[in-house]
Each structure stands twice: as structure tokens, then as C-alpha cells.
Amino acid sequence: MIDFNSVTTAIDRFLNSVLPHQAATLVECLIIAVCAIVAYLTFAIVMIYMERKVCAAFQCRVGPDRVGKWGLLQVFSDVFKMLTKEIIELCSSDKILYTLAPFLVIMSSIITFSCLPFDNGLQVLDFNIGIFFIMAASSFGILGILLGGWSSNNKFSMIGAMRSGGQMISYELSMGLSVLTLVVLSGTMQISDLVEEQTKGWFIFRGHIPAFIAFIIYIISGNAETNRAPFDLPEAESELTAGFHTEYSGMGFGLFYVAEFMNMFIIAGIATTIFLGGWAPFTIPGADAFNSAMFMIPGFVWFLGKTFFVIWLLMWIRWTFPRLRIDQVLVLEWKYMVPIGLLNLLIMTICVVMGWTF
Amino acid sequence: MEMKKPAIKSIPYEEFKDNETLESLLAEVNKERTNVLIGNLDDLINWGRSNSLWSLTFATSCCGIEFMAVGAARYDFARFGFEVTRNSPRQADLIMCAGTITHKMAPVLKRLYDQMAEPKYVVAVGGCAISGGPFKGSYHVLNGIDKIIPVDVYVPGCPPRPEAMLYGMMQLQRKVKAEKFLGGKNIHRKRSDAPKDPIIVTNVPAGDENKNEK
Amino acid sequence: MEVNFIDIKDFRETMLAHRRKGMDFLRELIGMDWQDDGLGAIYMLENSSTHENIEVAVRTLDRERPQLPSVSDIWMVAELYEREVYDFYGIEFTGHHDLRRLYLRNDWVGFPLRKDYDASEELNPVRMESEPVEEFQREYDIQDDREMAEIVEKLKILHYDQYVVNIGPQHPATHGVLHFHLSLEGEEVRKVDIRCGYIHRGIEKLCESRTYPQILPFTDRLDYLSAHQNRHALCMCIENAMEIGVSDRVQYIRTIMDELQRIDSHLLMYSCMAMDMGAITGFIYGFREREKILDIMEEVTGGRLIQNYYVIGGVQADITPGFAKKVKEYCNDQKIRIKEYYDLFVNNVIFRNRSIGVGVLSREDAISFGATGGTGRASGWACDVRKRHPYAMYGKVDFKEIVHTGGDCYTRLIVRLEEILESIGIIEQLIDNIPEGDYKTKTKPIIKLPEGRFSASVEGSRGEFGVFIESRGDKMPYRLKFRPTGLPLLAAAHKIMKGCKIADLITIGASLDYVIPDIDR
Amino acid sequence: MKLRETYIGKILLTIKSLATGLRVTLREFFTRKITEHYPENRKTLHIAERHRAMLCMPHDEEGNNKCIACGLCSMACPNGTISIVTKSVTDEETGKSKKVLVEYNYDLGACMFCQLCVNACPKGAIEFSNSFENAVFDRSKLIIKLNK
């Protein structure tokens, strides 16, 4: 198993020898920031391309294939066009909040993005309350959407913002419950320990039934958290033209568009971390020969493979179901997801206390 | 640096129609001398803009159904990168005016055009948008949308086939590639035509309380 | 068709008498300008159970302030019909509680369909500023002593401090350019004010200055999803008026083509309903089958959406040899594919929750609004013209008329999907035994209809489409009126959409399946 | 109480109906795509020969056409898209003056492809072709001179 800790400590030692301590940490922070943002944008581009190709595959058509070899350069041309579009300043909107909104959404998704365990040492933030921090960081993204909707002084975006507020805040609850169930199983909240624990066996297998139910609840509430169909009420095309980002043009809209895709990547990343064992390879307790073969494959390949499988699952759900109405969204949350989540938490604690987990 | 003839995949340059107007556009663009760096950057931006033209879902009558058929599985304009049809004029690059524009619809179309972000384009699809088509003599029909907004490409037909619409979009791609973006297309035109005070659709009476309303 | 005139004095009593005798379906209200005989209106009434119909007319000689008693309290659809006649002829209907122009702008000068209307550009230039939406409803009611009714501005349409939203002319889910002017309370819709006219092209005025063969292309562009049926209605009306015999082969071809167009329109209705409710994949699957029909149509008629296929006395060109094989191949494939729609969208629990019990239209309302077609049949009213007044081959083909009693959005979609299977059944009965014969009977180059009034009606894809021609014997009609299949649906929508949520408003609009150019003409 | 009303029943029915929907899209994910690649398949593209995309006047080898400049087509057209310029020529043998076609202008932008002109032409000089690639940048390019 390649351990990136050695690589990072080597860089740290080299920098400290050359520069004074403060300068070394500053340079390290700069390197990490640049790597995080570059990784963030490349994943965004890969995600947009994957979304358009997978959506086309589900709809028996071909998707972008004229720009570049199989349409690979399509998203780059989208990025160039988005950068060169004029940003319209609205005469009667709340200027400060209007420009602040996209950055709030982007900031919340970059912070949560950097908590994901790509490989053994490749993790930017690793607090001992890791999962709890992710929950907190991902929830102030809602602020951005609410501000964006309210400040653009457009009645449709106002309705879209109110809908998104109601929906995302209530689905934080069931997402928190399903994560709590897994924390009960694993016993720790630190992400690296969580994944370390799963090298012996993924939690979704070790936690058998309650873990699987938690996984289903997590996928549904993750879908609602990122405003994707069948919960895409805030930017429901056919009802509110373009929902909360109706008045945004150029890069303002570009930030919302990228943040939506990256939130989906983060939800899939967290699902892989706590359910499917992050960068931990697939191991069967008995067969050591098989396990050692599995350990040959590097960690981040495991992590990205599983994440993109979960993303494919989310896209499958998006391109099949019609949209829910706002009262059905809330009824589903408060009457079905929260009770089942609480019951599941109870079952999991009983299993852990009695030791029935693998 | 010379701006070369815009090329479209798998259709040779000669087989396109109306190359003369394109050549005159190119000649006008190549008048000033641009250095190599800006020229290449211009080409890159134009390549990006021409391959990702997002159209506004604007369909008033029969051509709208063919516009949906172009978006559906068989002709699929997602292959060209136009897949994302935006509903809000702020995020759309072009208006594909598919259908008849009547006197009552003309101010709405003009307002939508004003709300779009620069650089914006207009494709007139079908006989009604080009010249009023079958309803040319009617009292309520506008004889061609080029009377109120500048039109870039005309796609004749009533309604034009989906392939003809794709051909029209490729013509627009060639026109986008033959433009000078830096110092040309992106200079903010002084919004002279933009209305000073915003058009109020519901004129709001100053606070008169009409009590008999429930 | 003969029309009996009633004196203006006892007009309302005779109308109430007709209504009590069971004439509960107002098929059409035709405004007329007989120049020196004054302005008037023709009412086509029908008894929804015995299918017996009467034509009644009333006229007034005064041309400055023509006034007729309103019947909008007897038949609810008359509310919109009378606004249309006011818009085109300037006839004020006393007792109508909301008489505004339906299609044209309020600052439009003159009444277009009057014979003495001058259509000069200076009088009505293209005005570039949107007009402010009018605030008050205008009601004409006769105070007891005075002869003439006065304009009384009463109820305010939309109050200023309500949350007023425009689901406006350009909107992805209005199936065209329809303008919903809503006042909202949170997600609930308090008050709906539907404004149309954004695609009004003045087709009926154009028809008065065109010869009969030149009028035919307009019918394709009215309701472009029942192009064949509309054209069939006009050709049938002209052929009946001039007693031109049409060969059996043409009757077979016309019936098959009508049914293919009906399947095409129902597929589009399913696809647009799926898209409006967020299932874009359902939309793409519906269009995949629809493309197969468009291929068959293009091979034979030369056009995908607008076909220009029927002419007076037959069809433009004979069917191509491979036609029967392709149609049979398509019908078998469609029977399998339709199961896929049920699995993907119709039996989906999200769709069922969002559409069952939403926008319920009762049977009496359906009849009073004259909402024919799939919408009427979903509310329990057997209003299929192919059964009421059989034409072409429909008398000799056995098919079931699908009538459900649910009346909500879910039933309206189910009725359309089952009608697709019914239409396939009809096509399969006809496709194998198309008789030999000439595809067009010779007609004189200049077609002149004899004096008199003629009408014909046909089952369009979304309702009964009627044609009424009043001819003075020359090659152009004196007055030509198309019965809009969509306008009654809009009147019904006006009533159903009160009190629903925004998402329901879009679902109801999609389930009613109206086509705006057919409403505005 | 029927299964449909109970709490558990609703959840099970929901899962069953969602699963059937997912199965349909999954099966579609792996089926062959039906998209026609328009610009790539231009050589083999099949357009119905009855499709009306543009009016044209067929010429035989020496370049003369069958039009006798009678003007029936422009009268039959509801939109006035056809305008004919003729000049009268005195025929040698009979000495009578005969109208000869100089210019046959056809406005493709206003045509509604209703085929009334082709039906009205006594000599069959004009017909509709199915070459649909006519999009242009300039409105005046849509007014085409049909006769060579």
C-alpha cells in the first residue's frame, strides 16, 4: 500500500531546511490550496462530461461527440464560453448579497471537498471530529442559495430559494441520522481512522442490514441536498424557468453550475468514505492471497472508482424519475425518512452492543 | 495574424451556402493587424464559444415542435454542444426564434433580446420568422423579426427539417468563428437602446385600497 | 344547414327554453357581419345525449354600439366565446361580467373582422412597449330605465399587494405562448387570469380574401398536431357543399392518415406531460416512437409536421408502394413500446401522487365548457364525433370509444394512451384492404361554393374541430369560422386551476393538452 | 385495511414501482443508440424525394426550360413569393408578339411549400426538390433566380 505520508513528510522536511518555519508552512498551505482547487476543477470538468454522456446513454442518444475525440473537449469549450460571457448587473437587486451568494456556495463545497480521503496520506483536513465538520461545512451552502434567490429581486427565484431552504434544511436531518448510524458502528469520527477500520471489511458488509438501510437513506437525502431530480424543485426548469439562479449570467451562473456538480461528487465521496471503505481495497476475511493482490492497486484508484460508481447511481436516479411536489418532499422527509432513520439508529446500536456485527 | 476560413467538421468549406457574406466579414476582421498571441487567444475563445451555443427555449408555433424534435434522440443537437437549452435569457447565448411573431408578441421578444447577456445571436427559423410566411398579409403579424432585432442566420422552411435547423446552427458556428472577440465583440455597446426606466408590466397604483376586493 | 333567426326581444327566453330542453352543449358561437343586415351571432347548440343539434341566430341593426344579451350564465364557455366576438366585431354582450378583448391589445383601434375594417399600418403600428395589464373587469349591465347598457367597472382583477407572478408568454411549460397571470399565496394559486392572443395571426380575416384551395394550407397551421383531421374537415365541408363524390380509396387513405396523426399527437401529449413533470427521459422515449410515424408521413406526403396532403376531391399524390408494410411494422412495434411508457412514467408512484385527484373536471362542467376530446371523455362525457356523427370510414370500422369517469390529470393521460391502441386497431382493420381507384377526382380550376351556409365537424386529436362557411356564391368565402378545440379547454382550465399549487398548475396544463395557435387562430 | 393504505405497504409499493422504472432506463442504457449523425452521414442521408425543401426549375442539357411565362403560378400562390419578369418578342414566322421569360424570382423566405404553384403550372416547368441545406446569413440571398 503506497503511503503518501512519507512523501508529505519528505517535502515538509525539505522546506523546513530551506525556509524559516513560518515561511515553510505558508508555502505548504499555498501548495495544498493550489492542488485542492486544481483537483476541484478537473473533477468538475470530468463530472460535467460524464453527466452529459450518461444522460445521453440513458436517453438512447449519443451526447456530445463532435468536439474533440469523443466529445472530450466539449466541457472545455463550455468553460471558455462561460468565462467570456458578460455579467449583467441588475439595477434593482441587492448588489453585495447578489455577488456574495455564488462564493458562499463554492466555498462550502471546496471546504468539504478537501476533507475527502483520496488516499492514505492524501487528505487535507483530518480533524478528530472529521465527519461532524463535514456536516457543518456542507450546511452553509444553503445560505448561498437562499441569498442568491432573495437578492436577485425576481419573484421566480424568490420561490425557488424558499423551496430550497425548506428542502435542504429538512434533509440535513435524515443525512445526519444515517451518518450517525455509521459512527455508532465505527466508534470514531476521524476520517482516516474510519477508513483504516474498513481495511478489514467495508462497513456496508460489516453493518449488514442497518448499514444498508442507512446507505439508502443517505443516497436519497444526498440527492435532495444537492437539489437534483427528483428533488430539483429549487431550479425546476418547467415550473420556475431557472429557479434561484434565474438572474445570474456569465461566471455567477458558472459558479452555481460547477458547485452543483461538485456537491454531487462530495456526497458520493462521503458515501464511499463511510459506507464503501474510502481507499480501503475490497478484502475477504479468509483469503490472504486475494487480499494481498487487492492491496497492490493504489488507494486513490479504489476511492475514485467507488465514488464514480455512486455518482453513476445518482445519475441513474436523476434521469428516471419525475419531480416531486414541495409538500410531497417534506412529507417524505418528516413522515418516512426521519422515523426510519431513528429506528435504524436504534437497531444499529443494539447490534453493536450485542456484538452481532461482523 | 490572418483569421483563416472557419472549418466545420465533416462538411467541406465549398459546400456551404452564402460564403460571400462570410468572406466579407472575414475581410473586415482582417483589416487591422493583430499580433500572434492575441490572434491565437481569439481563435481559442471563438472555438470555445462556437461549440457551446446554449439556445433559449423560445418556440411560439409549429417550428417549436421541430425544435423539440431536434433536441430529441434521433437528431440530438447535444452532439454539437447545444444540449443545454436555458430557460432564462440571462444564461442563453442565442434566441432560436421558431414561430410567428405577432404585434402582441413583438415587445416580449424585444425585451427578451435586451435581457440576454452579450455576445448574443439570433437565428430566424421558418418562414414566419423570416418574412411573416403564410400570414404575410395579416393585420396582426410582424413581417419578419429582422424589423425589431438583428438576425444572424435565416433558416428557410415551413417548418424546416431538423437537419436544416442543424445546418443553420452550423452556419452560425462559422459566423461565430469568424469574429474578433478581443476588442471587437466584447466591447460593451453603449446601451443606448436599453430603456431608461424599466418597463413596468403591472402599473402599480399608488396605494389606493380597493376594499371591495375579497 | 338552415338557421332560424330569433328577435332580440325574446332571445334569452328561447335560449333558456332550449337549455331546459336538454341543449346543454354550445358547440360554436359565430360572430357575423351581414353589412346592411346588421351585426349578429349564430349559436350552434347540441343535446349531449340525443346528439340532435339546432342552429339559432340573432342580429342587431345598430352599428355604433351593437348590443346583444349574453348567454354566459347559461353555458360557461360562452364567457370566452363572447369575449372573442366582442374582440372581432365590437358586439357588446350585456350581462357578461368580464367583457375585455380576448386576443388583441386593449389599445387596438377598430374591430378586425368587420367588413368595413381598414387595416392601415398607421392606425395599428407595431407598438414596442408592453401594455400595462388592465386592472378592472368591465361589465355591461342595463339599468332598469335606460335602453343602452353602461360600462360598470367593478371587480378588480388582481390586487396590487398580492404576490402577482407572470407564468408568461415565454415559459417552458405553457406549450406555446400563453400568459398565466397568477396571484399566489406561497405555493397556492389564489386567482388565475389567462391571457392569450400572443400568436393570433388573423387567419379568419385572411381566409376571407383567399380562394378555397389557398385556404387549405391554413388548416395545417391551426392545430399542427391534428393537421390531417383539420384539413379533412375543410375538404369534407367543401366537398359536401359542391356534392363532389370522393372515391373509396381516398376515404380509406384519409381515415388511416387521420388515425396516424392522432397517434402522433397523443405521443407528443405523453412526452410533453413527462417533460413538464421533470421526467426528461419519458419525453425522449415518446419522441423516439413519434419519429417513426413522421418518417411514414414524410414518405407519402412529403412533410413531417405540416403535410399539405388532402386536396379538394382527394389527396395530393397516391400512397407509395411500401406504405402498408411500414405502417403494419410500426403498429406492432408501438404495441410493445407502450408497455414501456406505463412502466417508466404512468405507473411511477411519484407521477401517481402528483396527478391523481389533481384538477378534477366534473361531467356537467365538461359539457357546459364544451371541453370535447380526451379531456371530455376522461370526465365521463362520450363526445367522440366519430361516434356521434360518423364520417369517412368511421361508420364501417368497429372501435371502442374510451370513456372514464375520473376527470383528473391521471385519467386524461390514461384516456390518451388507450386511444393510441384504439387507433392502431382501426388502422389494422383498414390497412390491408385499401381498394383500387383514382386518388383525386377532377375538379374545375376555379372552385365556387353555392349560396348558403355549410358546416362540417371532425374528431381532431384534442377535441371536436368544426368548419363553418357562409358563401355568397363567389370563389372566396363570405365568412369562414374554425371551431377552436383549445378555447373550451382554456375556459375549463380557468376554473380548475383556482386553488391548486404551482406544480399542479403545470400538470393540469399539460394534461389538458391545448395547442395555443389553435386557440388564437 | 388494504396493503396500499398501511405504512409498510406504501413503502413496499413505492420501492416496487421505482424499481420497474429503473429497470426500463437500465435496459435502455445498454441498447444501441438511434441517433443519426447528420453531418457525417450526408452522403448516405435518405430524404424522401417527395419532401418539399425548395422550388426549382429543371433545365435540359442546352439549358432551356419548359416555362412559357404564363404567370399562372404567381397568381395561384397565396403569398406572392413568385415574381416573373417577361418581355414580348415578335415571333419570326407568325409575326405575333410572344411573351418570353427573362427572370423568374422565387422568394424562399416567404414560401409555405403548399404546392399550389406546381399544381397550377400547365407545362410542369417547376417542381419541388428536397435539397434542404439553404440557411444563409443575408436575407436578400433567399430571393433566388430560378431560370438560368
Side-chain angles (χ1 to χ4, degrees):
Chain A
M1 202 59 190
I2 312 158
D3 188 348
F4 277 89
N5 287 334
S6 53
V7 172
T8 44
T9 42
I11 298 173
D12 181 56
R13 222 176 300 109
F14 163 72
L15 279 178
N16 278 339
S17 60
V18 172
L19 297 164
H21 182 59
Q22 289 79 7
T25 42
L26 177 69
V27 166
E28 270 169 24
C29 291
L30 276 180
I31 295 170
I32 291 171
V34 163
C35 292
I37 290 179
V38 162
Y40 183 85
L41 287 179
T42 45
F43 280 129
I45 286 174
V46 167
M47 286 278 299
I48 295 176
Y49 177 69
M50 177 185 176
E51 161 96 81
R52 290 173 78 161
K53 276 298 203 187
V54 164
C55 151
F58 275 126
Q59 295 174 347
C60 64
R61 54 191 178 86
V62 175
D65 74 343
R66 275 176 59 83
V67 189
K69 188 70 189 67
W70 290 294
L72 289 170
L73 303 179
Q74 172 62 54
V75 189
F76 289 101
S77 74
D78 283 352
V79 166
F80 278 120
K81 185 213 74 174
M82 199 63 84
L83 288 170
T84 55
K85 280 298 274 186
E86 170 210 6
I87 296 177
I88 296 178
E89 320 88 38
L90 299 165
C91 53
S92 57
S93 77
D94 192 328
K95 297 266 183 312
I96 313 135
L97 300 183
Y98 177 78
T99 38
L100 180 68
F103 296 112
L104 273 183
V105 175
I106 282 285
M107 226 180 349
S108 103
S109 69
I110 287 186
I111 291 173
T112 35
F113 173 77
S114 51
C115 296
L116 295 179
F118 286 94
D119 204 326
N120 201 348
L122 265 183
Q123 194 178 346
V124 180
L125 299 172
D126 189 10
F127 304 120
N128 52 17
I129 47 144
I131 285 289
F132 189 65
F133 173 76
I134 286 183
M135 283 294 129
S138 77
S139 68
F140 77 80
I142 308 169
L143 216 56
I145 291 180
L146 278 174
L147 273 187
W150 181 78
S151 68
S152 52
N153 188 20
N154 171 338
K155 288 180 179 163
F156 276 137
S157 44
M158 177 68 178
I159 298 173
M162 283 307 122
R163 283 184 177 183
S164 83
Q167 167 186 322
M168 288 170 82
I169 288 168
S170 52
Y171 274 89
E172 287 279 328
L173 210 70
S174 57
M175 185 190 257
L177 277 176
S178 59
V179 167
L180 204 61
T181 326
L182 263 295
V183 168
V184 161
L185 176 65
S186 67
T188 109
M189 282 216 276
Q190 179 138 18
I191 295 178
S192 49
D193 290 0
L194 246 162
V195 180
E196 209 61 49
E197 188 70 28
Q198 292 190 44
T199 47
K200 289 192 282 304
W202 295 354
F203 277 149
I204 198 158
F205 298 131
R206 291 172 55 184
H208 48 84
I209 296 159
F212 186 70
I213 295 174
F215 180 68
I216 299 288
I217 291 177
Y218 183 83
I219 289 289
I220 294 175
S221 49
N223 227 342
E225 203 63 36
T226 54
N227 294 336
R228 282 177 63 81
F231 300 95
D232 62 350
L233 284 120
E235 31 100 16
E237 292 87 20
S238 64
E239 279 148 29
L240 316 168
T241 59
F244 60 91
H245 48 67
T246 311
E247 294 300 335
Y248 281 87
S249 68
M251 239 5 234
F253 167 68
L255 292 179
F256 275 122
Y257 195 64
V258 166
E260 190 213 323
F261 281 100
M262 282 320 286
N263 283 346
M264 188 163 79
F265 181 87
I266 289 155
I267 294 291
I270 299 171
T272 339
T273 318
I274 50 177
F275 288 104
L276 305 173
W279 42 266
F282 178 68
T283 54
I284 301 164
D288 293 338
F290 175 78
N291 291 351
S292 56
M294 282 298 130
F295 271 88
M296 279 302 123
I297 306 167
F300 58 87
V301 169
W302 279 108
F303 178 79
L304 291 182
K306 287 183 240 173
T307 311
F308 278 109
F309 168 70
V310 174
I311 288 169
W312 184 81
L313 210 62
L314 290 172
M315 287 181 184
W316 185 13
I317 293 168
R318 171 183 184 151
W319 294 112
T320 313
F321 297 131
R323 185 178 301 118
L324 278 161
R325 217 177 31 204
I326 185 70
D327 54 335
Q328 289 163 350
V329 162
L330 297 177
V331 157
L332 175 70
E333 166 60 15
W334 293 103
K335 283 199 182 138
Y336 289 90
M337 300 269 273
V338 169
I340 294 173
L342 289 171
L343 194 72
N344 192 24
L345 184 61
L346 190 67
I347 297 168
M348 179 59 97
T349 37
I350 292 165
C351 289
V352 168
V353 161
M354 307 294 283
W356 285 335
T357 59
F358 295 109
Chain B
M1 176 191 127
E2 282 294 316
M3 178 89 80
K4 56 186 177 354
K5 286 204 180 92
I8 290 279
K9 222 164 97 170
S10 71
I11 293 188
Y13 180 82
E14 298 69 33
E15 286 190 24
F16 269 107
K17 284 236 163 49
D18 195 0
N19 286 336
E20 305 78 25
T21 336
L22 205 62
E23 259 120 31
S24 64
L25 277 172
L26 274 174
E28 184 206 306
V29 159
N30 289 340
K31 257 208 263 0
E32 313 95 9
R33 306 284 315 134
T34 53
N35 67 39
V36 178
L37 180 66
I38 296 206
N40 285 337
L41 190 59
D42 236 355
D43 281 351
L44 185 65
I45 291 176
N46 284 344
W47 167 79
R49 286 190 314 116
S50 70
N51 282 325
S52 131
L53 289 159
W54 290 355
S55 65
L56 178 75
T57 42
F58 182 87
T60 53
S61 55
C62 345
C63 290
I65 304 288
E66 289 292 84
F67 182 57
M68 282 201 268
V70 167
R74 184 171 170 200
Y75 296 101
D76 188 15
F77 62 6
R79 291 179 290 119
F80 296 80
F82 312 144
E83 175 195 357
V84 192
T85 55
R86 295 309 309 172
N87 301 319
S88 143
R90 302 283 189 219
Q91 294 128 18
D93 305 331
L94 82 117
I95 288 193
M96 229 170 144
C97 176
T100 324
I101 297 299
T102 59
H103 283 210
K104 200 171 183 181
M105 195 63 188
V108 178
L109 178 63
K110 180 79 176 77
R111 204 158 169 229
L112 278 175
Y113 182 73
D114 292 345
Q115 280 171 350
M116 282 168 66
E118 291 295 329
K120 50 193 175 190
Y121 302 94
V122 174
V123 175
V125 175
C128 297
I130 297 173
S131 69
F135 318 105
K136 215 155 61 162
S138 162
Y139 55 88
H140 198 237
V141 169
L142 188 70
N143 288 349
I145 55 172
D146 40 19
K147 289 190 165 51
I148 47 173
I149 45 177
V151 173
D152 292 301
V153 174
Y154 297 90
V155 181
C158 188
R161 283 182 64 82
E163 280 101 341
M165 280 196 194
L166 291 177
Y167 184 80
M169 293 299 276
M170 283 194 280
Q171 289 276 42
L172 182 66
Q173 278 186 327
R174 292 169 66 220
K175 183 165 192 177
V176 165
K177 279 185 177 161
E179 268 164 4
K180 214 161 109 56
F181 185 75
L182 296 175
K185 193 74 174 165
N186 71 341
I187 293 179
H188 283 298
R189 281 197 291 266
K190 186 71 203 66
R191 283 292 181 101
S192 58
D193 52 0
K196 298 293 164 294
D197 47 357
I199 303 169
I200 302 169
V201 176
T202 7
N203 61 347
V204 172
D208 73 324
E209 295 321 310
N210 193 325
K211 280 296 161 291
N212 58 19
E213 163 58 24
K214 170 187 63 44
Chain C
M1 145 181 146
E2 78 318 316
V3 174
N4 39 36
F5 281 81
I6 306 172
D7 183 37
I8 201 167
K9 295 284 175 304
D10 47 23
F11 171 69
R12 268 194 71 82
E13 288 71 29
T14 38
M15 281 309 212
L16 283 170
H18 281 309
R19 180 66 180 81
R20 271 192 297 279
K21 272 216 298 292
M23 291 291 166
D24 49 6
F25 172 31
L26 173 64
R27 270 172 78 181
E28 223 173 329
L29 193 153
I30 304 153
M32 292 301 291
D33 175 4
W34 290 297
Q35 283 154 333
D36 36 28
D37 294 355
L39 293 156
I42 298 177
Y43 298 74
M44 295 169 73
L45 305 171
E46 180 165 328
N47 186 326
S48 64
S49 37
T50 65
H51 307 320
E52 160 240 352
N53 42 40
I54 311 170
E55 284 74 28
V56 171
V58 67
R59 69 164 120 233
T60 159
L61 290 170
D62 165 9
R63 283 190 83 83
E64 278 65 35
R65 288 283 304 277
Q67 292 201 345
L68 290 175
S70 157
V71 288
S72 60
D73 49 354
I74 306 171
W75 293 279
M76 283 197 263
V77 75
E79 193 188 320
L80 286 186
Y81 281 161
E82 281 166 0
R83 276 178 66 186
E84 177 193 333
V85 173
Y86 166 69
D87 196 351
F88 287 155
Y89 286 91
I91 301 174
E92 289 149 10
F93 288 88
T94 57
H96 187 291
H97 73 278
D98 174 15
L99 204 67
R100 291 175 281 147
R101 278 190 181 264
L102 186 60
Y103 297 123
L104 298 172
R105 295 167 61 111
N106 285 331
D107 46 23
W108 189 272
V109 176
F111 300 104
L113 275 183
R114 282 196 183 182
K115 290 295 179 185
D116 50 16
Y117 169 73
D118 96 54
S120 58
E121 266 302 305
E122 311 77 31
L123 217 59
N124 292 312
V126 184
R127 294 177 182 81
M128 282 325 289
E129 79 292 344
S130 312
E131 60 175 349
V133 181
E134 66 275 342
E135 290 307 309
F136 293 96
Q137 289 171 332
R138 301 143 48 107
E139 189 172 327
Y140 293 82
D141 56 2
I142 299 180
Q143 269 67 16
D144 32 36
D145 53 2
R146 265 197 307 290
E147 222 289 323
M148 275 292 183
E150 291 317 316
I151 301 176
V152 174
E153 295 198 347
K154 260 208 224 135
L155 227 51
K156 203 171 181 35
I157 298 173
L158 289 173
H159 199 272
Y160 145 64
D161 62 8
Q162 289 164 349
Y163 194 82
V164 175
V165 164
N166 285 320
I167 300 214
Q170 189 261 335
H171 189 272
T174 49
H175 293 242
V177 276
L178 193 64
H179 180 190
F180 289 102
H181 202 62
L182 309 177
S183 89
L184 296 177
E185 217 174 289
E187 289 266 339
E188 299 280 328
V189 174
R190 267 298 141 266
K191 210 166 163 44
V192 186
D193 178 22
I194 300 178
R195 297 156 45 70
C196 39
Y198 288 91
I199 190 83
H200 167 64
R201 301 161 290 193
I203 286 183
E204 286 164 7
K205 183 75 177 176
L206 286 175
C207 288
E208 285 169 10
S209 57
R210 293 259 197 298
T211 65
Y212 288 105
Q214 287 175 343
I215 293 173
L216 281 173
F218 284 141
T219 55
D220 284 6
R221 286 156 178 91
L222 270 176
D223 175 358
Y224 36 80
L225 288 170
S226 67
H228 279 299
Q229 290 110 324
N230 299 354
R231 213 166 164 119
H232 194 166
L234 187 60
C235 292
M236 206 160 61
C237 189
I238 295 169
E239 280 150 12
N240 296 349
M242 296 177 55
E243 284 94 24
I244 302 173
V246 171
S247 74
D248 266 0
R249 183 179 182 81
V250 169
Q251 297 287 23
Y252 268 76
I253 295 174
R254 281 186 178 173
T255 315
I256 293 171
M257 278 302 183
D258 280 8
E259 289 313 309
L260 275 176
Q261 181 75 54
R262 194 184 315 280
I263 298 174
D264 167 331
S265 160
H266 288 335
L267 283 177
L268 187 120
M269 181 264 179
Y270 158 75
S271 313
C272 285
M273 189 156 190
M275 177 161 70
D276 287 352
M277 299 181 75
I280 313 278
T281 318
F283 162 78
I284 301 274
Y285 290 173
F287 262 68
R288 179 188 56 197
E289 267 66 60
R290 193 166 165 270
E291 287 291 334
K292 296 196 188 91
I293 301 183
L294 295 181
D295 279 351
I296 298 171
M297 292 260 196
E298 201 190 10
E299 283 307 317
V300 173
T301 66
R304 283 165 51 96
L305 190 70
I306 309 276
Q307 292 90 3
N308 281 327
Y309 189 46
Y310 301 163
V311 282
I312 298 161
V315 281
Q316 175 75 29
D318 205 349
I319 48 175
T320 51
F323 174 69
K325 190 173 68 60
K326 266 201 211 108
V327 168
K328 268 185 283 182
E329 204 179 277
Y330 164 73
C331 290
N332 302 338
D333 173 54
Q334 181 64 48
K335 276 185 241 172
I336 304 156
R337 288 289 180 179
I338 208 154
K339 200 190 155 323
E340 204 175 275
Y341 302 160
Y342 277 91
D343 288 349
L344 176 70
F345 183 67
V346 179
N347 291 343
N348 189 316
V349 70
I350 299 173
F351 170 70
R352 290 173 68 92
N353 287 347
R354 269 194 70 180
S355 64
I356 290 182
V358 169
V360 180
L361 182 66
S362 69
R363 185 175 188 280
E364 296 69 33
D365 281 354
I367 296 174
S368 172
F369 279 125
T372 56
T375 313
R377 286 193 285 279
S379 309
W381 169 33
C383 56
D384 195 333
V385 181
R386 297 175 292 179
K387 290 285 185 187
R388 287 191 350 236
H389 314 290
Y391 54 94
M393 296 307 297
Y394 289 113
K396 305 178 190 60
V397 170
D398 71 13
F399 67 100
K400 192 163 60 63
E401 182 184 1
I402 292 157
V403 181
H404 289 276
T405 55
D408 53 11
C409 297
Y410 182 76
T411 332
R412 284 193 273 269
L413 180 63
I414 294 293
V415 163
R416 258 81 171 192
L417 290 179
E418 280 169 15
E419 271 181 8
I420 290 181
L421 296 177
E422 253 351 282
S423 297
I424 290 177
I426 294 174
I427 292 175
E428 273 160 357
Q429 288 172 40
L430 293 174
I431 192 73
D432 287 337
N433 31 43
I434 299 178
E436 290 314 314
D438 52 4
Y439 59 88
K440 186 156 72 169
T441 52
K442 203 75 203 69
T443 58
K444 296 193 291 304
I446 307 286
I447 292 175
K448 284 195 165 72
L449 248 61
E451 278 261 338
R453 297 185 178 91
F454 312 95
S455 88
S457 76
V458 127
E459 179 61 22
S461 307
R462 44 190 52 71
E464 173 189 344
F465 180 83
V467 173
F468 167 86
I469 297 179
E470 169 153 347
S471 146
R472 294 281 167 83
D474 48 19
K475 59 182 175 155
M476 295 181 190
Y478 180 75
R479 162 75 164 125
L480 188 135
K481 167 92 167 52
F482 297 114
R483 178 191 188 273
T485 48
L487 199 54
L489 299 176
L490 216 60
H494 213 282
K495 182 170 186 302
I496 311 174
M497 284 176 180
K498 269 196 190 26
C500 69
K501 292 193 174 46
I502 301 177
D504 294 342
L505 184 122
I506 306 285
T507 318
I508 295 168
S511 75
L512 286 175
D513 181 24
Y514 36 68
V515 171
I516 315 301
D518 170 60
I519 296 170
D520 293 348
R521 290 185 302 278
Chain D
M1 182 139 79
K2 282 217 307 307
L3 179 72
R4 210 198 314 278
E5 274 78 31
T6 62
Y7 187 80
I8 309 293
K10 273 198 203 136
I11 297 173
L12 294 180
L13 279 172
T14 309
I15 292 168
K16 190 174 88 60
S17 110
L18 297 183
T20 44
L22 287 170
R23 186 164 40 82
V24 169
T25 33
L26 189 64
R27 199 167 353 111
E28 198 54 51
F29 188 75
F30 297 109
T31 52
R32 212 175 57 76
K33 306 306 171 212
I34 62 159
T35 310
E36 287 178 12
H37 297 261
Y38 160 60
E40 282 81 13
N41 63 0
R42 271 175 96 233
K43 308 291 174 299
T44 64
L45 184 63
H46 162 66
I47 305 280
E49 88 285 356
R50 281 187 184 169
H51 179 61
R52 301 174 288 273
M54 203 173 116
L55 196 68
C56 67
M57 186 179 282
H59 289 74
D60 47 23
E61 310 72 35
E62 306 89 22
N64 39 37
N65 49 56
K66 296 201 277 290
C67 176
I68 54 165
C70 61
L72 276 176
C73 52
S74 67
M75 277 186 293
C77 173
N79 253 4
T81 52
I82 297 171
S83 62
I84 300 174
V85 176
T86 64
K87 67 178 180 351
S88 60
V89 161
T90 57
D91 198 342
E92 294 79 19
E93 304 91 15
T94 60
K96 284 197 318 306
S97 80
K98 188 166 71 69
K99 274 197 298 191
V100 167
L101 182 72
V102 169
E103 211 173 292
Y104 191 98
N105 290 332
Y106 163 68
D107 179 1
L108 180 57
C111 175
M112 64 178 185
F113 308 97
C114 58
Q115 217 160 358
L116 285 172
C117 49
V118 172
N119 296 348
C121 179
K123 290 283 185 277
I126 44 174
E127 61 188 18
F128 273 99
S129 80
N130 61 6
S131 74
F132 56 89
E133 290 171 338
N134 308 318
V136 285
F137 303 112
D138 183 355
R139 173 78 178 84
S140 58
K141 291 280 187 329
L142 285 176
I143 298 162
I144 308 158
K145 195 161 104 58
L146 291 188
N147 65 334
K148 290 290 172 309

